[in-house]
């Protein structure tokens, strides 16, 4: 049985890595591999009821992570759907490329500690694309954004999927990871920033700067309330000792109610 399970897992993993070669979504392969492994395991086991109970326990652990990630991603999507990230972009008014690089890098670093690093990268790269016209500048800024996002996402329990899984599983604590990893994460962002900032020179043309305008209240509410909901999760867990996904769902519910109320008169 063990041999069959190992073969099924390895074969499934190989197919996942070859997603772009075989043109089959890796999620479909992962689902098939998981079900096949559990099927082989229960058929070869003398206590099927025990295996079912074990499966339910594993499913409960995995569901915590899924509910948390779904809640967090939905909050980010709500902020984005109401253009809440304009709150950040419209505060950037510098025309100096080097100053802009430093500003964007630090915003990315701290924003990715609250959002996940992939979402932060997408948001900040989209912002830079609006500010810069030169292709080489865009590549340099995008590279620095990716570095800053990964560095910033490493020092909080909600900044990266890996640390989120470890936090939910109880392997790390929120306070300890922030205390131990903030300085190393900051250094790993600052060192490449110093190198890349020496390459970036010049000014941004005024025509490429986002036009300054008043930010509507619903954008401000969606941004600040969404960010607050994400920051609230570790606090909620430390106070109530409930799983993190409960905190993210409460934050999502409040943001949902507020945005529905703000737009209640619209069709």
């Amino acid at each position: 049985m063990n041999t069959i399970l190992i073969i099924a897992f390895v074969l499934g993993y190989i197919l996942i890595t070859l997603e772009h070669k075989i043109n089959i979504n890796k999620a479909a392969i992962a689902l098939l591999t998981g079900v096949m492994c559990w099927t082989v395991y229960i058929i070869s086991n003398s206590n099927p009821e025990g295996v079912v109970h074990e499966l339910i326990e594993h499913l409960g652990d995995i569901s915590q992570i899924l509910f948390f990630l779904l809640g967090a991603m939905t909050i980010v999507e709500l902020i984005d759907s109401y253009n809440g990230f304009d709150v950040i972009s419209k505060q950037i008014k510098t025309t100096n490329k080097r100053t802009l690089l430093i500003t964007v890098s630090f915003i990315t670093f701290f924003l990715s500690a609250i959002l996940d690093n992939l979402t932060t990268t997408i948001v900040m790269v989209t912002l830079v694309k609006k500010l810069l016209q030169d292709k080489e500048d865009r590549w340099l800024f995008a590279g620095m954004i990716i570095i800053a996002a990964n560095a910033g996402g490493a020092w909080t329990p909600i900044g990266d999927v890996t640390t989120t899984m470890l936090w939910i599983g109880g392997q790390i604590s929120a306070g300890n990871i922030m205390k131990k990893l903030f300085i190393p994460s900051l250094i790993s962002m600052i060192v490449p920033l110093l190198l890349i900032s020496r390459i970036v020179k010049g000014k941004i043309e005024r025509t490429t700067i986002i036009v300054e305008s008043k930010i509507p209240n619903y954008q401000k509410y969606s941004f600040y309330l969404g960010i607050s909901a994400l920051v609230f999760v570790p606090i909620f867990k430390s106070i109530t000792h409930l799983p993190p996904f409960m905190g993210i769902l409460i934050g999502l519910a409040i943001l949902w109610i507020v945005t529905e109320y703000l737009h209640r008169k619209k069709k």
Side-chain angles (χ1 to χ4, degrees), residues 27-253:
I29 300 296
L31 287 172
L32 179 62
T33 303
V35 173
M36 289 300 296
C37 287
W38 278 102
T39 302
V40 171
Y41 182 50
I42 196 170
I43 290 174
S44 60
N45 198 289
S46 58
N47 183 19
E49 292 182 0
V51 174
V52 172
H53 181 72
E54 188 178 349
L55 172 60
I56 293 172
E57 285 187 350
H58 280 286
L59 184 61
D61 293 336
I62 295 170
S63 296
Q64 291 188 62
I65 299 169
L66 291 177
F67 276 119
F68 181 90
L69 294 176
L70 285 171
M73 288 188 293
T74 307
I75 288 173
V76 173
E77 285 297 319
L78 272 172
I79 297 173
D80 189 49
S81 66
Y82 293 114
N83 297 317
F85 292 111
D86 284 354
V87 173
I88 296 175
S89 62
K90 290 182 179 180
Q91 299 302 316
I92 301 175
K93 300 175 182 178
T94 181
T95 59
N96 185 286
K97 290 182 181 179
R98 185 172 294 172
T99 305
L100 178 64
L101 177 67
I102 295 170
T103 303
V104 167
S105 297
F106 275 93
I107 290 174
T108 303
F109 179 81
F110 288 103
L111 194 61
S112 66
I114 303 170
L115 310 179
D116 67 278
N117 47 21
L118 178 59
T119 302
T120 304
T121 300
I122 294 170
V123 170
M124 297 308 294
V125 167
T126 303
L127 166 64
V128 166
K129 191 176 179 181
K130 295 177 182 178
L131 295 172
L132 300 171
Q133 297 298 316
D134 186 75
K135 186 176 180 180
E136 186 175 344
D137 286 338
R138 285 181 175 181
W139 279 114
L140 288 171
F141 273 71
M144 192 59 233
I145 286 170
I146 292 169
I147 292 170
N150 280 279
W155 64 275
T156 65
I158 59 174
D160 182 84
V161 175
T162 306
T163 51
T164 299
M165 292 173 67
L166 292 171
W167 179 50
I168 291 173
Q171 283 86 6
I172 59 174
S173 63
N176 200 41
I177 190 175
M178 293 173 70
K179 182 174 68 175
K180 295 290 181 66
L181 292 184
F182 175 73
I183 298 299
S185 297
L186 186 62
I187 292 172
S188 66
M189 189 270 293
I190 288 177
V191 171
L193 176 60
L194 292 174
L195 296 173
I196 295 177
S197 63
R198 297 178 64 182
I199 303 173
V200 176
K201 298 177 182 178
K203 299 278 187 180
I204 303 170
E205 295 179 11
R206 292 301 303 178
T207 54
T208 63
I209 296 291
I210 296 175
V211 178
E212 185 177 350
S213 59
K214 186 178 179 181
I215 301 172
N217 285 331
Y218 69 85
Q219 290 185 9
K220 294 179 182 178
Y221 292 147
S222 64
F223 177 76
Y224 290 117
L225 191 57
I227 296 298
S228 298
L230 293 167
V231 173
F232 175 69
V233 175
I235 301 171
F236 177 84
K237 183 180 184 297
S238 65
I239 294 173
T240 65
H241 302 289
L242 286 169
F245 78 88
M246 295 291 283
I248 207 76
L249 292 180
I250 287 176
L252 174 60

Side-chain angles (χ1 to χ4, degrees), residues 5-18:
L5 283 174
I6 292 171
I7 292 172
F9 174 78
V10 171
L11 181 61
Y13 202 85
I14 291 172
L15 292 174
I16 287 172
T17 62
L18 296 175

